[in-house]
Amino acid sequence: EAGVAQSPRYKIIEKRQSVAFWCNPISGHATLYWYQQILGQGPKLLIQFQNNGVVDDSQLPKDRFSAERLKGVDSTLKIQPAKLEDSAVYLCASTGTSGVHEQYFGPGTRLTVT
Amino acid sequence: DQQVKQNSPSLSVQEGRISILNCDYTNSMFDYFLWYKKYPAEGPTFLISISSIKDKNEDGRFTVFLNKSAKHLSLHIVPSQPGDSAVYFCAASELSNTGKLIFGQGTTLQVKP
């Protein structure tokens, strides 16, 4: 079974530029999560999708961050415009079958904003 | 307000000995707890979990203990191996809610040969 795929793995941009990250969850997983992990901290949930609907986006900075999961499979997370404090690893995770609570994470995208 | 805390940023243990990683939480609504391991440049990988109806769960060398009255859980690794060297994250979830995970800050474990 293929794991969660993310791209790109690394991205360096200047502040005020825009950036997009892509995630393809494990096949059949209905729930998809985007997390932000700042150096020295644990992952923090940005947004949770159930199929193509948003379940929780309470911690997503909506003035600059957006995310979509149009067909209920892969997802994109966008930042526009980026700030220095957005430098972090962006992790995508998925979980699926009823009764399974563990989330499976992709390798992440390391974003550096200069 | 940090709902899940790992107060030890790092831990160093000799190979073959026991590693004990600790985690405290404040939200009494949490009913499911997980431990993840993370190697550099990789995403976190699920290690072991425990439901709030249990006080212990064991999987090979890994055992998680839950003390609900103290709002404390711990991960025991016996015996520790050099390959266990990684960052360990404790996470908590409220399954009746959205099931989202709240993570601690992580503890870096170094197992010395």
Side-chain angles (χ1 to χ4, degrees):
Chain A
E1 180 182 72
V4 176
Q6 289 188 248
S7 67
R9 291 296 311 276
Y10 304 92
K11 189 75 177 179
I12 301 174
I13 62 172
E14 296 182 350
K15 59 184 179 183
R16 291 187 289 273
Q17 286 187 323
S18 63
V19 64
F21 313 126
W22 175 82
C23 172
N24 191 24
I26 292 173
S27 178
H29 278 194
T31 309
L32 183 148
Y33 311 81
W34 283 103
Y35 288 86
Q36 179 192 59
Q37 185 182 8
I38 293 172
L39 187 65
Q41 300 180 18
K44 184 186 83 171
L45 181 70
L46 292 175
I47 188 167
Q48 176 182 348
F49 291 95
Q50 178 79 17
N51 296 309
N52 60 352
V54 175
V55 173
D56 184 348
D57 64 357
S58 58
Q59 297 197 80
L60 186 74
K62 299 181 187 62
D63 58 334
R64 298 184 300 107
F65 286 64
S66 64
E68 60 183 14
R69 192 185 184 199
L70 292 176
K71 296 182 180 178
V73 181
D74 56 352
S75 174
T76 56
L77 175 70
K78 296 179 182 177
I79 308 175
Q80 182 179 10
K83 293 185 175 181
L84 295 176
E85 58 260 37
D86 297 333
S87 294
V89 175
Y90 291 85
L91 294 160
C92 179
S94 69
T95 190
T97 316
S98 175
V100 175
H101 308 298
E102 296 78 28
Q103 295 179 20
Y104 296 89
F105 284 81
T109 297
R110 179 174 295 279
L111 174 67
T112 302
V113 182
T114 63
Chain B
D1 176 34
Q2 187 119 22
Q3 298 185 69
V4 178
K5 293 183 181 180
Q6 295 176 254
N7 292 316
S8 298
S10 62
L11 175 67
S12 183
V13 171
Q14 207 67 32
E15 180 180 6
R17 298 292 188 100
I18 184 172
S19 296
I20 300 176
L21 296 95
N22 294 303
C23 178
D24 297 294
Y25 62 96
T26 57
N27 188 343
S28 57
M29 298 301 291
F30 289 144
D31 53 12
Y32 199 75
F33 304 89
L34 308 89
W35 285 93
Y36 281 83
K37 179 169 71 173
K38 187 181 183 305
Y39 293 118
E42 295 183 12
T45 55
F46 169 73
L47 194 56
I48 192 169
S49 62
I50 188 167
S51 165
S52 60
I53 62 173
K54 295 184 176 181
D55 55 17
K56 176 183 174 181
N57 188 27
E58 193 172 353
D59 184 2
R61 297 185 296 112
F62 303 91
T63 303
V64 56
F65 295 92
L66 176 63
N67 183 333
K68 288 189 291 294
S69 60
K71 294 190 178 69
H72 176 84
L73 65 156
S74 61
L75 174 68
H76 293 211
I77 306 174
V78 183
S80 301
Q81 300 174 353
D84 296 330
S85 298
V87 179
Y88 288 78
F89 290 100
C90 165
S93 176
E94 190 182 335
L95 294 180
S96 59
N97 199 344
T98 63
K100 72 179 183 183
L101 297 181
I102 308 296
F103 283 86
Q105 313 94 304
T107 296
T108 300
L109 173 66
Q110 182 185 29
V111 180
K112 297 179 179 178

